[in-house]
């Protein structure tokens, strides 16, 4: 790599010699850009090797630190200096200069790339990483105290010699050793302190350099890959010693990962350029992306402007320049818990955003503890928002023991802090092509004329603090579109009619939609329904996105839809036969987009602010019960979207406990008989096991929506 840099330098000098000296300075030659890339490649290789060296040194340092003083003394006495081969000696020699090689190359790149912000940000990020690794070399044990200081202190206390060992050491030569040991320990302590101060200085320099890289990326919307790498190294610099900064950069790292994930899903859904204008522009944008030898063109900038003007979907794919201040703009009753894996999936501690970030939070929490917050049910309790990565989202996170406390009234999910903040922002609806009247859309208007004669009782519900309203008079629904489900002699259509009748005096007289027993909606009717509603309810068989192609959903503007309630993932023989005939014609990528997590992301990209749905397959009875409970809590009780699902979950847990207790009394009688027979009292207590169905229904997005 060093030879490649040398060769490319000669190429650049030869190219510059062809121009007069006064003209070559402002020129950005392809050879110069290639030289910068080769320098960056050499720096990255040096840092990769330096990481290996640091990992080995850290392993040896930790192993040595855990040994007792007697053991270390004996090992030093009997240790024989190994005979190193040529390769080993060369590796040791190279390892001593890796940091200097990387820093010199990065300093040159940073100086020569003033006109290319992306290259400059990348060099600053790598420079910060290099300084952090050099700090690890200076004091291999110090970086571990950033994350695991408590355990490290325990290890050190355990490694100290016991009084008995010290007594054994103090024998005939005790008086002589008492004179030499203080001098030895003083010298070792001074050396340790010197290394510790040097490591701290290097970490401070690394933090400053990485902060410059983060600032450049945020201000100029540079690729999220550079930003995420800088954030990861910033986390390693701060550790648990600065939880506020650690939480901020962990949230930023998560937003970068979420942005990349959403971009992949959006492009997977929009592979066919003929489906929509959004798909056509996204495909054109992919084709215009510059290669390593090119610079961005004005045509690419024009396509990006068109994408931003066409749909809010594309705006989700860039990081908010004010990301580091987003936490202060959230409602004070939201408690954020960040759970994020790095790319190699390491055991990094989860960071809970401390209350010191929002000063008013402690006062309001104290008011709740004193019983000052009384009023509507939506005002009670705290809201926990789980910001987790994609892999963790597939797990029932709501079942964590820490989330079963009584003080919580809502546990919701989202994919990143930026996405949560975007949902909270109110935007004026944008007029687009999907707002135009489509043919076949009259089916959704069948109840409007009938409802005009109904006298409605106004919803006199006071909006609690830190909540957002959802208009109850603009709900739309699709119930069992293929009329396939029947439970206990009653179809979903009949049950929905009873629900509409039960709440008709105040909430449901203006609701519109399709009942499968009367009409199966076309794709155009479904699009018209989704784009003209404040909330949308789907209750049917199979997968929701089996009814509307993901490419169509991604192109819709659903900014008026505040909430989507999806009770799907139920099967019977009729639905499986119908769906299997359709699925054989779809690709694996298309089928993957119909899964629950992908469904949530596509709805989010289209503008929906809250999604209630099942994580895995359910039963007809469970979906019916959950639907009834959600309607009761949202409409009659007046709970928020997050409280509604939390109450549903708590109700399932309580029913499970009741059934278990009932079964436990029967088991106790049987157990008493068995004890009388064989005298063995094994497994006397009944085992409490919560049904997984209690954690099936989850809420993504805003937990503070209230039906008004």
């Amino acid at each position: 790599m060093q030879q490649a840099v040398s060769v490319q330098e000669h190429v650049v000098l030869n190219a510059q010699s062809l121009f007069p000296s006064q003209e070559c300075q402002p020129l950005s030659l392809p050879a110069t850009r290639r030289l910068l890339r080769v320098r960056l490649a050499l720096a990255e290789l040096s840092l990769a090797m330096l990481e290996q060296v640091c990992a080995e040194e850290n392993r040896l340092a930790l192993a040595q630190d855990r040994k007792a003083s007697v053991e270390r003394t004996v090992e030093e006495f009997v240790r024989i200096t190994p005979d190193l081969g040529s390769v080993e000696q060369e590796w040791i020699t190279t390892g001593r200069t890796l940091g200097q090689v990387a820093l010199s190359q990065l300093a040159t790149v940073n100086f020569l790339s003033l006109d290319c912000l992306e290259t400059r940000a990348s060099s600053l990020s790598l420079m910060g990483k290099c300084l952090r690794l050099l700090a690890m070399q200076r004091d291999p044990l110090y970086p571990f105290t950033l994350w695991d200081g408590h355990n490290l202190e325990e290890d050190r206390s355990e490694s100290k010699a016991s009084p008995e060992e010290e007594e054994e050491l103090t024998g005939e030569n005790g008086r002589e050793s008492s004179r030499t040991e203080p001098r030895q320990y003083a010298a070792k302590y001074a050396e340790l302190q010197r290394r510790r101060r040097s490591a701290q200085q290097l970490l401070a320099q690394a933090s400053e350099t990485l902060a410059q890289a983060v600032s450049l990326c945020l201000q100029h919307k540079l690729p999220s890959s550079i930003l995420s790498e800088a954030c990861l190294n910033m986390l390693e610099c701060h550790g648990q010693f600065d939880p506020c900064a650690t939480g901020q950069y962990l949230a930023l790292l998560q937003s970068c990962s979420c942005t990349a994930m959403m971009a992949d899903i959006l492009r997977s859904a929009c592979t066919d350029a003929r489906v929509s204008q959004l798909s056509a522009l996204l495909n054109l944008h992919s084709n215009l992306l510059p290669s390593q030898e090119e610079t961005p063109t004005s045509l690419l900038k024009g396509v990006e402007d068109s994408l931003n003007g066409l749909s809010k979907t594309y705006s989700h794919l860039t990081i908010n320049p004010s990301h580091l201040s987003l936490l202060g703009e959230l409602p004070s009753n939201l408690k954020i818990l960040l759970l994020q894996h790095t790319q190699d999936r390491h055991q990094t501690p989860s960071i809970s955003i401390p209350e010191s970030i929002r000063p008013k939070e402690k006062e309001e929490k104290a008011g709740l503890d004193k019983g000052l917050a009384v009023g509507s049910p939506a005002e009670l309790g705290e809201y926990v928002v789980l910001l987790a990565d994609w892999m963790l989202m597939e797990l029932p996170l709501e079942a964590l023991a820490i989330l079963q406390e009584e003080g919580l009234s809502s546990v919701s999910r989202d994919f990143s802090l930026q996405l949560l903040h975007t949902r909270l922002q109110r935007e004026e609806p944008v007029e687009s092509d999907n707002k135009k009247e489509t043919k076949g859309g009259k089916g959704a208007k069948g109840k409007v004329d009938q409802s005009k004669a109904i006298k409605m009782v106004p919803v006199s519900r006071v909006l609690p603090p830190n909540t957002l309203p959802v208009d109850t008079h603009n709900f739309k629904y699709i119930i069992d579109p293929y009329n396939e489900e029947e439970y206990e002699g009653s179809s979903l259509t009949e049950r929905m009619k009873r629900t509409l009748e039960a709440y008709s005096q105040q909430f449901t007289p203006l609701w519109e939609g399709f009942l499968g027993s009367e009409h199966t909606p076309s794709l155009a009717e479904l699009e018209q329904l989704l784009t003209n509603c404040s909330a949308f309810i789907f209750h049917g068989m199979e997968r929701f996105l089996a009814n509307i192609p993901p490419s169509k959903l991604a192109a819709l503007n659903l900014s008026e839809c505040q909430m989507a309630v999806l009770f799907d993932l139920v099967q019977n023989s009729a639905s499986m036969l119908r769906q299997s005939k359709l699925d054989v014609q779809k690709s694996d990528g298309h089928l993957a987009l119909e899964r629950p997590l992908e469904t949530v992301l596509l709805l989010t990209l289209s503008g929906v602010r809250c999604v209630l749905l099942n994580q895995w397959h359910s039963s007809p009875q469970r979906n019916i019960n959950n639907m009834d409970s959600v309607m009761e809590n949202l409409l009659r009780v007046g709970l928020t979207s997050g409280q509604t699902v939390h109450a549903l979950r708590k109700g399932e847990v309580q029913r499970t406990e009741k059934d278990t207790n009932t079964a436990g009394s029967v088991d106790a009688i049987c157990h008493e008989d068995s004890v009388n027979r064989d005298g063995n009292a094994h497994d006397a207590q009944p085992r409490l096991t919560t049904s997984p169905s209690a954690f099936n229904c989850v809420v993504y997005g805003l937990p503070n929506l209230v039906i008004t």
Side-chain angles (χ1 to χ4, degrees):
M1 288 301 299
Q2 289 175 329
Q3 291 176 0
V5 171
S6 178
V7 170
Q8 191 60 31
E9 285 178 339
H10 288 293
V11 173
V12 172
L13 292 176
N14 290 335
Q16 290 179 345
S17 66
L18 301 176
F19 299 93
S21 58
Q22 63 272 16
E23 294 183 4
C24 65
Q25 185 66 25
L27 291 177
S28 179
L29 301 175
T32 305
R33 296 194 294 271
R34 191 176 299 113
L35 175 60
L36 293 180
R37 287 194 299 274
V38 176
R39 289 186 183 275
L40 283 176
L42 174 57
E44 290 175 350
L45 176 61
S46 300
L47 293 181
M49 297 171 66
L50 184 58
E51 280 187 300
Q52 296 293 327
V53 173
C54 289
E56 180 64 18
E57 291 177 350
N58 291 340
R59 185 185 65 81
L60 294 176
L62 281 176
Q64 188 72 7
D65 187 72
R66 290 191 173 99
K67 294 177 181 178
S69 59
V70 177
E71 187 178 0
R72 288 198 294 264
T73 303
V74 172
E75 285 188 355
E76 290 177 0
F77 181 77
V78 301
R79 184 175 57 193
I80 302 176
T81 303
D83 295 329
L84 299 178
S86 59
V87 176
E88 289 85 356
Q89 187 62 47
E90 186 177 1
W91 172 255
I92 293 176
T93 304
T94 304
R96 295 171 181 169
T97 61
L98 287 172
Q100 287 71 24
V101 170
L103 283 178
S104 62
Q105 297 297 327
L106 293 172
T108 304
V109 171
N110 193 36
F111 176 75
L112 297 176
S113 61
L114 296 179
D115 59 335
C116 182
L117 295 175
E118 183 174 337
T119 303
R120 186 161 178 249
S122 181
S123 65
L124 287 173
S125 177
L126 292 174
M127 192 177 297
K129 179 179 181 180
C130 182
L131 292 170
R132 179 181 67 80
L133 293 175
L134 289 176
M136 294 178 64
Q137 272 195 315
R138 295 289 174 87
D139 188 357
L141 294 179
Y142 178 67
F144 288 93
T145 65
L146 294 175
W147 293 108
D148 203 14
H150 178 68
N151 291 338
L152 188 60
E153 291 299 326
E154 289 183 352
D155 291 339
R156 287 182 174 176
S157 63
E158 292 175 0
S159 65
K160 292 182 180 178
S162 63
E164 291 77 8
E165 292 176 341
E166 292 179 356
E167 186 175 354
E168 292 176 2
L169 290 175
T170 58
E172 297 178 356
N173 300 328
R175 185 174 302 176
E176 181 180 355
S177 62
S178 64
R179 298 174 183 175
T180 58
E181 284 181 359
R183 290 195 295 269
Q184 290 178 345
Y185 286 131
K188 290 182 178 180
Y189 180 76
E191 176 66 16
L192 178 63
Q193 291 299 313
R194 187 185 66 80
R195 287 178 172 271
R196 180 63 50 87
R197 286 192 296 268
S198 178
Q200 290 174 344
Q201 292 173 358
L202 286 170
L203 284 176
Q205 295 175 9
S207 298
E208 183 179 355
T209 305
L210 291 168
Q212 296 179 23
V214 170
S215 178
L216 272 180
C217 292
L218 290 177
Q219 290 177 7
H220 301 281
K221 298 183 178 180
L222 299 180
S224 60
S225 57
I226 303 176
L227 182 58
S228 61
E229 183 68 20
C231 291
L232 183 58
N233 283 284
M234 188 70 90
L235 286 173
E236 298 293 341
C237 290
H238 287 288
Q240 66 178 2
F241 287 169
D242 191 352
C244 294
T246 304
Q248 292 277 10
Y249 287 106
L250 182 58
L252 183 53
L253 172 65
Q254 188 176 69
S255 293
C256 293
S257 302
C258 178
T259 297
M261 174 185 61
M262 289 192 297
D264 292 340
I265 289 180
L266 184 61
R267 289 189 170 90
S268 297
C270 299
T271 54
D272 191 353
R274 301 167 298 178
V275 173
S276 64
Q277 186 179 3
L278 176 64
S279 299
L281 286 174
L282 283 175
N283 281 273
L284 179 59
H285 182 268
S286 299
N287 294 331
L288 290 175
L289 285 176
S291 65
Q292 290 187 345
E293 304 293 331
E294 300 171 342
T295 56
T297 62
S298 57
L299 180 57
L300 178 64
K301 183 67 168 58
V303 173
E304 290 178 348
D305 293 340
S306 299
L307 283 169
N308 284 319
L310 175 67
S311 173
K312 292 295 182 182
T313 300
Y314 191 73
S315 64
H316 289 291
L317 307 184
T318 56
I319 300 297
N320 189 336
S322 304
H323 194 286
L324 294 178
S325 63
L326 296 185
L327 276 174
E329 301 176 11
L330 297 181
S332 58
N333 63 333
L334 292 185
K335 307 297 180 183
I336 309 299
L337 178 62
L338 296 174
L339 301 170
Q340 177 65 33
H341 281 96
T342 51
Q343 289 184 353
D344 55 1
R345 296 294 188 258
H346 325 345
Q347 294 179 354
T348 303
S350 63
I351 303 298
S352 180
I353 300 302
E355 297 182 358
S356 58
I357 294 180
R358 296 192 288 266
K360 296 182 180 179
E361 215 169 90
K362 292 183 179 179
E363 300 176 4
E364 296 183 359
K365 183 177 180 181
L368 287 175
D369 293 339
K370 295 176 182 178
L372 299 179
V374 294
S376 68
E379 297 180 30
L380 303 177
E382 293 182 346
Y383 293 67
V384 172
V385 181
L386 297 172
L387 302 182
D389 63 12
W390 187 265
M391 185 177 71
L392 292 175
M393 284 296 190
E394 297 180 351
L395 302 175
L397 299 177
E398 291 78 5
L400 291 171
I402 194 176
L403 301 178
Q404 310 306 315
E405 298 178 0
E406 293 298 328
L408 302 181
S409 65
S410 169
V411 179
S412 60
R413 301 176 167 205
D414 218 328
F415 297 96
S416 70
L417 176 63
Q418 174 169 302
L419 209 53
L420 176 64
H421 181 268
T422 302
R423 297 181 197 268
L424 287 166
Q425 306 308 305
R426 274 202 168 278
E427 300 174 354
E428 294 297 328
V430 180
E431 191 71 22
S432 61
D433 292 339
N434 60 48
K435 291 288 184 181
K436 298 178 182 178
E437 187 72 25
T438 57
K439 293 183 178 180
K442 296 180 180 180
K445 300 182 179 180
K447 289 186 176 287
V448 176
D449 295 335
Q450 301 174 7
S451 63
K452 289 181 180 179
I454 299 177
K455 290 185 178 181
M456 294 185 299
V457 178
V459 183
S460 58
R461 182 171 291 161
V462 179
L463 198 65
N466 299 320
T467 58
L468 299 172
V470 179
D471 183 13
T472 185
H473 302 310
N474 197 22
F475 269 57
K476 303 295 169 62
Y477 57 85
I478 293 181
I479 307 299
D480 195 11
Y482 296 96
N483 197 27
E484 294 171 322
E485 184 173 352
E486 184 174 326
Y487 180 72
E488 293 183 350
S490 178
S491 66
L492 291 183
T493 298
E494 295 172 350
R495 292 177 179 272
M496 186 61 181
K497 287 180 178 179
R498 290 199 292 266
T499 300
L500 294 174
E501 181 64 26
Y503 301 102
S504 61
Q505 292 298 316
Q506 219 175 0
F507 298 100
T508 63
L510 295 180
W511 287 22
E512 301 175 352
F514 295 97
L515 301 174
S517 61
E518 300 174 359
H519 176 70
T520 299
S522 64
L523 179 58
E525 290 172 333
L526 183 55
E527 291 180 11
Q528 183 71 11
L529 205 69
L530 288 171
T531 54
N532 292 280
C533 67
S534 60
F536 173 75
I537 299 173
F538 177 85
H539 192 178
M541 309 294 288
E542 300 297 336
R543 306 176 297 272
F544 166 68
L545 280 190
N547 298 275
I548 177 172
S551 57
K552 289 287 188 180
L553 180 61
L556 295 179
N557 179 13
L558 305 182
S559 57
E560 290 186 11
C561 184
Q562 308 293 311
M563 183 189 305
V565 181
L566 309 179
F567 287 112
D568 57 353
L569 297 182
V570 176
Q571 292 180 328
N572 59 21
S573 56
S575 67
M576 290 180 63
L577 179 61
R578 174 185 57 82
Q579 194 60 48
S580 62
K581 294 179 180 178
L582 299 175
D583 289 345
V584 294
Q585 305 173 13
K586 302 175 183 178
S587 64
D588 292 340
H590 188 136
L591 291 173
L593 292 173
E594 297 181 2
R595 295 180 301 196
L597 282 176
E598 285 81 355
T599 300
V600 174
L601 271 182
L602 287 173
L603 287 170
T604 298
L605 288 170
S606 299
V608 180
R609 305 168 78 183
C610 174
V611 182
L612 280 70
L613 82 169
N614 292 326
Q615 295 188 82
W616 51 81
H617 279 77
S618 182
S619 65
Q621 179 184 4
R622 186 68 58 187
N623 268 8
I624 290 171
N625 294 339
N626 289 350
M627 176 73 169
D628 293 340
S629 178
V630 166
M631 291 296 101
E632 171 74 14
N633 288 323
L634 282 178
L635 301 179
R636 194 185 304 279
V637 181
L639 297 184
T640 64
S641 50
Q643 290 174 331
T644 296
V645 177
H646 194 65
L648 179 67
R649 191 178 304 122
K650 286 294 184 181
E652 290 291 337
V653 173
Q654 291 172 359
R655 276 195 292 271
T656 303
E657 292 177 351
K658 182 178 178 181
D659 295 341
T660 305
N661 292 333
T662 303
S665 62
V666 178
D667 292 340
I669 297 174
C670 298
H671 172 70
E672 184 178 357
D673 294 339
S674 64
V675 171
N676 293 333
R677 286 194 299 268
D678 55 19
N680 188 6
H682 183 65
D683 289 340
Q685 296 297 326
R687 182 177 298 175
L688 177 61
T689 303
T690 303
S691 171
S693 61
F695 304 99
N696 191 5
C697 185
V698 294
V699 55
Y700 286 87
L702 297 185
N704 58 345
L705 297 182
V706 178
I707 308 300
T708 59

